[in-house]
Amino acid sequence: MLPSTTVNSLAQGNGALSSRDAARHTAGAKRYKYLRRLFRFRQMDFEFAAWQMLYLFTSPQRVYRNFHYRKQTKDQWARDDPAFLVLLSIWLCVSTIGFGFVLDMGFFETIKLLLWVVFIDCVGVGLLISTLMWFISNKYLVKRQSRDYDVEWGYAFDVHLNAFYPLLIILHFIQLFFINHVILTDTFIGYLVGNTLWLVAVGYYIYVTFLGYSALPFLKNTVILLYPFAPLILLYGLSLALGWNFTRALCSFYKYRVR
């Protein structure tokens, strides 16, 4: 059985934690440890983070099995090593620069786009989604007999990062090779290819998010996290019927941002 996320479950002997042990397991202490390691690259396991990125495409369930192992060994679900976040940031910077190049943006326009994508699209939206999912999962998805357990906010943020990475690679890297010569052409093939990439990217985000929360044994009814697939497929079909091009809209939005 996995250990509880509460401090009480860590008690041994007479059932009480020492003040030092209790402080070590507080959310603040974990956050401080994580942020401190963010500037110590030699302490980061980049090889393991790269392995996780690979398996998020090929077998995301294996990534979440590692979260189980961390819970059993370190009594926390969330990552304690920021290497994944650092590698994701590098991918984000490189792919955004590529986007600026494909859209024929100047140097300063590309820098402005990079700042927007990093701090608004990734960090800002990520904080919003993570907080919303953290609240919903703790409020409505925790099993009645498991009320002593809770979803860590850091874990909710990790789930978002896991789901965001495939979306980033599909829309900000793979799509770049098709934008000018296929997707932005005023043809059915153009918006078919572009919108299909969006369908796969957003669908992957939904699926990896579902896997993240369904991996927690104290949550119930996590299948509802797959329900957005229905409106997503409906929107995809509607976009093809009406000739909407999501990538063209994204490119126009990016250009508008950097004016």
Side-chain angles (χ1 to χ4, degrees), residues 133 141 206 209-210 213-214 221-229:
M133 292 301 299
L141 300 182
I206 295 171
T209 298
F210 159 73
Y213 289 95
S214 63
N221 300 329
T222 54
V223 69
I224 65 174
L225 300 178
L226 294 176
Y227 287 179
F229 266 114

Side-chain angles (χ1 to χ4, degrees), residues 2 14 46 50 64 70 85 116 118 135 157 160 170 174 186-187 229 232 254:
L2 295 175
N14 61 1
F46 290 106
Y64 287 114
R70 183 183 303 108
L85 178 61
W116 266 100
V118 171
F135 173 79
F157 188 66
H160 165 72
I170 294 170
I174 296 175
D186 293 321
T187 63
F229 266 114
L232 175 64
Y254 275 174

Side-chain angles (χ1 to χ4, degrees), residues 55 58-66 207 211:
Y55 277 103
T58 60
S59 182
Q61 296 92 335
R62 295 185 64 175
V63 176
Y64 287 114
R65 281 201 292 268
N66 174 260
Y207 178 63
L211 290 179

Side-chain angles (χ1 to χ4, degrees), residues 140-149 218-220:
Y140 302 107
L141 300 182
V142 176
K143 297 176 182 176
R144 184 178 300 274
Q145 65 270 28
S146 303
R147 289 301 177 182
D148 289 337
Y149 295 79
F218 53 87
L219 295 186
K220 62 180 180 180

Side-chain angles (χ1 to χ4, degrees), residues 41-57:
F41 293 99
R42 293 184 178 180
Q43 296 182 5
M44 299 184 195
D45 190 348
F46 290 106
E47 182 179 354
F48 182 67
W51 172 87
Q52 289 185 316
M53 288 182 165
L54 173 63
Y55 277 103
L56 281 172
F57 275 102

